[in-house]
Amino acid sequence: MSRKKILVTGGAGFIGGNFVQYMVDKYPQYDIYNLDLLTYAGDLTKHKHIETKDNYYFVKADIAERETIMALFEKEKFEYVVHFAAESHVDRSITDPGIFVQTNVLGTQILLDAARAVEVTKFVHVSTDEVYGELDFDPSTFFTEETPLQPNSPYSASKASSDLLVRAYHETYGLPVSITRCSNNYGPYHFPEKLIPLTISRVLNEQKVPVYGDGKNIRDWLHVNDHCAAINLVMHEGVNGEVYNVGGHNEKTNLEVVKTIIKTLGKSEELIEFVKDRLGHDKRYAIDPTKLENLGWKPTYTFETGIAQTIQWYLDNTEWWEQIISGDYQKYFDKQYTVNK
Ligand code: NAD
Ligand code: TYD
């Protein structure tokens, strides 16, 4: 098989980081370039074991810096782009929406221009089910690829905007794109500002776990390894111009998630603390993944097997998340949850 040059943006983050490792290990014959700005969410220590591999490269750059990105594409002539880089946390988008527009919208548009200039073979845009807005609690309703876009948070609005630009570059210029829209991910290297790693790290430290509102909001959880396999499939076999929803029918209320973690770690439910609800808090997300299953994907984890593996990973890798929560993270946490109370 010929060598392929693949640019992964946001490869120092949670999902992009798992995807970089998945691709470096699975395809020694591909060259994997990890481009990342190393914001608060980016961390390269997770890649220590692949840094010396011949097929892994790191580039520190901002996707929203046009000249840098255009020059890099001209030099490297990437064939594939898998675009994860983004501001990704809903709570941060509520307090500071501007950077979400800058990175998620403008950054994506610059990447699209660069991909067009070198005539890439495929541009995979990693998006989210949050662009569809929210579902009510009727368990027979799901997001399909035809569900209208109705984003409710500045984060999801910025992702929906980037999706529309990606679509437009396909329709207008014939750029070979595919868009994936995934449900909530969890697994190793998940930054502890998000519900699952936040709960695990705080329960392990015997600290209160903040649950927004009544804890009855529902998310559809997908293990990050299953997401990586889905993106790999779409990169190789996704039809140009098409959208693929990614999810494994693992709906849980937030309270169920938190209680499962507390029980697995043998701690008390008294650690749960109900706090003021998130503004514009979406009630429920749930994915119909039929289209991607027809392309040949199926998840390998249930929520039960995935959460057990994830909790064990956090127990085995305390030094990774402890270094994160000991820095600026603590300032973020104090600000975020003081405001909420
Ligand atoms: P993350 O916040 O963990 O990582 C984002 C990465 O992007 C970080 O390494 C950060 O340094 C980098 N980055 C940010 N701004 C940048 C810029 N201007 N230039 C270059 N790099 C920059 O995010 P994640 O959870 O891994 O999410 C990755 C993608 O998947 C995002 O596009 C997100 O919208 C999407 N997604 C996430 C989930 C989820 O549950 N986490 C679900 C569906 C879709
Ligand atoms: P999160 O992990 O931030 O992902 P998203 O907002 O993209 O779904 O939140 C998952 C759910 O958990 C969401 O309904 C909000 C809720 N939540 C809490 O109850 N407490 C918290 O401290 C956090 C971060 C989230």
Side-chain angles (χ1 to χ4, degrees):
M1 213 185 285
S2 67
R3 292 197 81 74
K4 293 187 199 308
K5 220 176 214 192
I6 298 165
L7 179 72
V8 179
T9 71
F14 163 46
I15 309 174
N18 277 280
F19 185 72
V20 162
Q21 295 183 9
Y22 175 94
M23 295 299 281
V24 165
D25 290 342
K26 191 175 172 79
Y27 297 107
Q29 72 276 29
Y30 293 1
D31 288 325
I32 310 296
Y33 287 71
N34 169 11
L35 181 152
D36 200 292
L37 181 59
L38 301 179
T39 68
Y40 80 93
D43 140 74
L44 287 178
T45 65
K46 60 169 69 89
H47 292 322
K48 277 213 166 72
H49 62 290
I50 57 166
E51 266 167 8
T52 50
K53 297 220 176 178
D54 290 341
N55 65 337
Y56 172 73
Y57 304 83
F58 176 70
V59 183
K60 183 167 188 250
D62 183 347
I63 57 167
E65 266 185 30
R66 176 170 289 276
E67 278 178 22
T68 311
I69 296 299
M70 297 303 281
L72 179 74
F73 273 68
E74 278 306 326
K75 177 167 170 262
E76 299 293 350
K77 304 264 189 301
F78 302 112
E79 290 169 73
Y80 291 79
V81 177
V82 186
H83 176 34
F84 294 91
E87 288 293 332
S88 69
H89 190 36
V90 174
D91 291 329
R92 287 182 191 256
S93 82
I94 294 168
T95 46
D96 184 14
I99 187 68
F100 285 72
V101 176
Q102 167 86 4
T103 297
N104 300 0
V105 185
L106 182 63
T108 300
Q109 192 251 331
I110 289 170
L111 281 174
L112 288 166
D113 280 343
R116 202 182 142 220
V118 302
E119 298 183 351
V120 296
T121 304
K122 179 69 122 186
F123 187 105
V124 180
H125 178 61
V126 180
S127 190
T128 166
D129 61 355
E130 301 190 28
V131 299
Y132 298 123
E134 65 175 357
L135 295 164
D136 63 23
F137 293 112
D138 173 357
S140 66
T141 56
F142 297 96
F143 295 136
T144 72
E145 290 79 2
E146 276 70 49
T147 302
L149 303 189
Q150 285 188 315
N152 291 321
S153 72
Y155 161 67
S156 52
S158 70
K159 292 296 291 187
S161 307
S162 64
D163 287 20
L164 294 179
L165 281 168
V166 173
R167 180 192 139 83
Y169 271 64
H170 174 70
E171 296 297 325
T172 304
Y173 307 114
L175 191 73
V177 305
S178 292
I179 297 174
T180 59
R181 294 190 181 133
C182 188
S183 60
N184 286 62
N185 281 220
Y186 67 102
Y189 299 116
H190 202 179
F191 194 86
E193 66 184 350
K194 308 279 170 68
L195 180 68
I196 286 183
L198 179 135
T199 302
I200 298 173
S201 57
R202 290 188 68 82
V203 170
L204 283 172
N205 285 331
E206 306 270 359
Q207 292 167 312
K208 293 277 187 191
V209 178
V211 172
Y212 297 159
D214 59 10
K216 291 192 178 139
N217 301 60
I218 290 175
R219 297 293 182 263
D220 185 356
W221 294 97
L222 186 76
H223 194 281
V224 67
N225 292 352
D226 285 329
H227 191 191
C228 290
I231 292 168
N232 182 34
L233 179 67
V234 171
M235 188 191 114
H236 286 98
E237 293 179 36
V239 176
N240 290 336
E242 294 289 318
V243 175
Y244 296 92
N245 283 354
V246 193
H249 289 299
N250 284 299
E251 289 181 52
K252 302 283 170 202
T253 66
N254 294 336
L255 211 46
E256 283 171 328
V257 169
V258 170
K259 284 186 178 177
T260 301
I261 294 169
I262 288 175
K263 190 167 174 217
T264 308
L265 291 171
K267 304 285 179 169
S268 162
E269 288 187 7
E270 285 178 9
L271 287 175
I272 295 171
E273 180 174 45
F274 291 97
V275 298
K276 191 169 170 247
D277 210 352
R278 174 185 278 174
L279 297 177
H281 196 173
D282 286 337
K283 284 200 264 305
R284 172 173 167 258
Y285 305 140
I287 286 271
D288 175 354
T290 307
K291 185 171 172 184
L292 190 64
E293 284 172 352
N294 289 339
L295 197 68
W297 175 84
K298 67 172 183 330
T300 59
Y301 291 86
T302 60
F303 183 73
E304 286 65 34
T305 58
I307 197 70
Q309 183 266 6
T310 302
I311 292 171
Q312 190 58 49
W313 186 90
Y314 278 80
L315 285 168
D316 294 341
N317 293 275
T318 46
E319 72 291 352
W320 180 78
W321 54 267
E322 275 174 354
Q323 58 158 3
I324 287 171
I325 62 174
S326 64
D328 280 350
Y329 173 85
Q330 198 51 52
K331 284 187 214 136
Y332 161 78
F333 189 90
D334 291 344
K335 189 162 166 249
Q336 170 67 18
Y337 294 92
T338 310
V339 169
N340 265 344
K341 273 187 222 168

